[in-house]
Amino acid sequence: MVVLVVAGCSRESPHALKVATNAWLGYEPLYLARYIGAYPPSVDMVQLPSATDVMRALRNGNVDVAALTLDEAMLLESQGEDLVLLMAMDFSDGADVVLGRSPVQSLKDLKGQRVGVENTGLGALVLSAALEMAGLTLGDIKVITLPVDQHLTAYTAGDVDAVVTFEPIATQLRNQGANLLFDSSAVPGLVVDVLVARQSIFPQHGNAIVDLLDGYYQARRYMVSNAPDAHSFIARRIKLSADELSAAFAGLRLPTLQENLDWLEGAPSPFEQNSVRLRELMQQRGLLLSGSPGSLKADSQWLRRVRP
C-alpha cells in the first residue's frame, strides 16, 4: 500500500531524491519549499498517512530520506538500517500532548481509561513520561494502538477516552473540547524531529541532498520575508486557522542553520549527548533491546554546503 501511495504522490523524475514525511507542523517548511519553487526536479516530496508508514517506506527502500522523530530513527538504526542524520527539523516544546475527554480532567484520571497512541517510540515515550508524572503505569490504563491518521475519528466516535497526539490534530481535538493533560514542555529535549537518509544513496544523490537542505532554509527565510503568504499556505495544508497556526507554532522551536550546526558538531555534540539520554530511556521502556546493534550517526557536511 505504501508503495502505491509513494508512486501516486510522486511528481518528479523517477530518479529524483524521494523524501517522505507524515503530517506534522514541523515538517511544513519542506512543503513550503516546493510551493515557492525552491526545489529542482532532483527533489521529490511525498506525504504518507503516519510515521509508521514513513518508517516502513524507508525500511523497504521506497524512499531515500525521511523526516522522523529521533527515537524512531534510532529504532530503525538498531534494526539494521544504515542511516545518517542530516539535521534537526524541530524541538517540541509543547506540541506533543496527551488529551482527554470529560470526565478525564487530569493525568490521574487516566486510570482504567482507554488511551489511543500510535505504536511508535514517540507515542510510547510521551505516554510513559505522562504516566510517570501521574504515578501510574501502563498496567493502569487500556492502551489502544491507533495510527495518527485515526486519532481524530476515534476520539470523535468515542472509541478512546484520551489520546497521545500532536499538531495539527491536537488543535482540532481541543476545538472539540478535549482537555490538555500533558505536553512535551514538561520533558524538554525528549521530542526532537530529524531528517535522516539511507547511507547508500549518497553517491547518487549527494548534490540532491544539498538541494533539499538548501531549499528547506530558503523556505525558512520565506516564512520571515513573506510571512502572510507562507502562513496562509501552511494553514491551508494542515487545515488550521491563522490564530490556531500561531498557537501551534508556539509549541515548536525550529533551529536556524547555525543552531543546527551547533547541535550536530562538537566532541561530544549536543546531538550525541541527547542520543545517549534517549537511548537509555528507550531501553528502560523496553523500546530498544539492551546492547542492540547500531548507533545513529550524524554528518554535518551537507548542511555546511547550504547557502547561509
Side-chain angles (χ1 to χ4, degrees):
M1 182 176 181
V2 169
V3 173
L4 293 175
V5 171
V6 170
C9 293
S10 180
R11 298 180 176 184
E12 306 295 348
S13 161
H15 303 295
L17 179 77
K18 289 184 171 56
V19 184
T21 81
N22 65 320
W24 166 241
L25 182 60
Y27 305 153
E28 283 303 308
L30 292 168
Y31 294 94
L32 179 63
R34 183 173 65 183
Y35 167 70
I36 64 174
Y39 289 148
S42 59
V43 176
D44 186 9
M45 295 297 309
V46 57
Q47 182 173 304
L48 299 178
S50 70
T52 302
D53 293 319
V54 174
M55 294 171 72
R56 184 181 299 117
L58 189 64
R59 187 185 292 115
N60 292 343
N62 296 322
V63 298
D64 307 303
V65 178
L68 297 166
T69 55
L70 178 56
D71 60 283
E72 290 163 350
M74 291 171 63
L75 177 61
L76 285 175
E77 184 74 21
S78 76
Q79 294 171 343
E81 298 302 316
D82 194 5
L83 303 178
V84 176
L85 190 147
L86 302 173
M87 63 180 285
M89 300 289 294
D90 61 76
F91 296 86
S92 179
D93 189 22
D96 292 88
V97 298
V98 180
L99 301 173
R101 69 166 65 252
S102 295
V104 179
Q105 302 283 346
S106 70
L107 287 176
K108 292 187 179 296
D109 294 335
L110 288 176
K111 189 169 185 178
Q113 303 298 322
R114 301 164 299 169
V115 181
V117 58
E118 187 167 21
N119 188 28
T120 63
L122 169 64
L125 285 171
V126 173
L127 178 58
S128 294
L131 292 176
E132 183 175 344
M133 184 171 290
L136 300 175
T137 68
L138 284 174
D140 292 318
I141 64 173
K142 300 172 185 176
V143 176
I144 307 296
T145 299
L146 203 61
V148 66
D149 55 317
Q150 297 178 23
H151 287 186
L152 184 61
T153 54
Y155 180 91
T156 303
D159 295 334
V160 293
D161 306 298
V163 64
V164 181
T165 193
F166 45 79
E167 296 293 354
I169 297 167
T171 293
Q172 295 166 358
L173 288 172
R174 295 186 74 176
N175 287 342
Q176 294 195 23
N179 304 310
L180 178 63
L181 310 179
F182 176 87
D183 70 51
S184 53
S185 66
V187 282
L190 181 65
V191 182
V192 183
D193 285 281
V194 297
L195 200 64
V196 296
R198 291 188 291 114
Q199 176 77 53
S200 60
I201 63 102
F202 289 109
Q204 179 183 1
H205 290 301
N207 289 334
I209 290 288
V210 178
D211 290 338
L212 170 67
L213 302 181
D214 189 73
Y216 170 85
Y217 274 106
Q218 286 185 53
R220 288 285 305 279
R221 291 191 289 272
Y222 190 84
M223 290 172 68
V224 176
S225 62
N226 295 273
D229 185 49
H231 292 174
S232 176
F233 168 79
I234 294 172
R236 289 195 306 272
R237 263 188 49 84
I238 62 177
K239 298 179 174 60
L240 293 181
S241 70
D243 289 342
E244 289 169 341
L245 182 66
S246 296
F249 265 127
L252 284 183
R253 179 168 67 85
L254 304 181
T256 65
L257 177 58
Q258 186 58 53
E259 286 171 341
N260 238 314
L261 290 169
D262 291 342
W263 189 66
L264 292 175
E265 298 176 345
S269 68
F271 155 70
E272 291 170 332
Q273 294 172 322
N274 197 11
S275 296
V276 168
R277 174 193 174 211
L278 188 54
R279 186 179 184 85
E280 291 174 351
L281 183 57
M282 292 176 72
Q283 288 174 343
Q284 292 170 9
R285 300 291 190 270
L287 302 172
L288 278 182
L289 295 177
S290 180
S292 58
S295 178
L296 185 63
K297 301 295 192 299
D299 190 343
S300 63
Q301 68 164 301
W302 312 102
L303 273 178
R304 284 284 175 192
R305 292 168 60 183
V306 170
R307 290 171 291 176

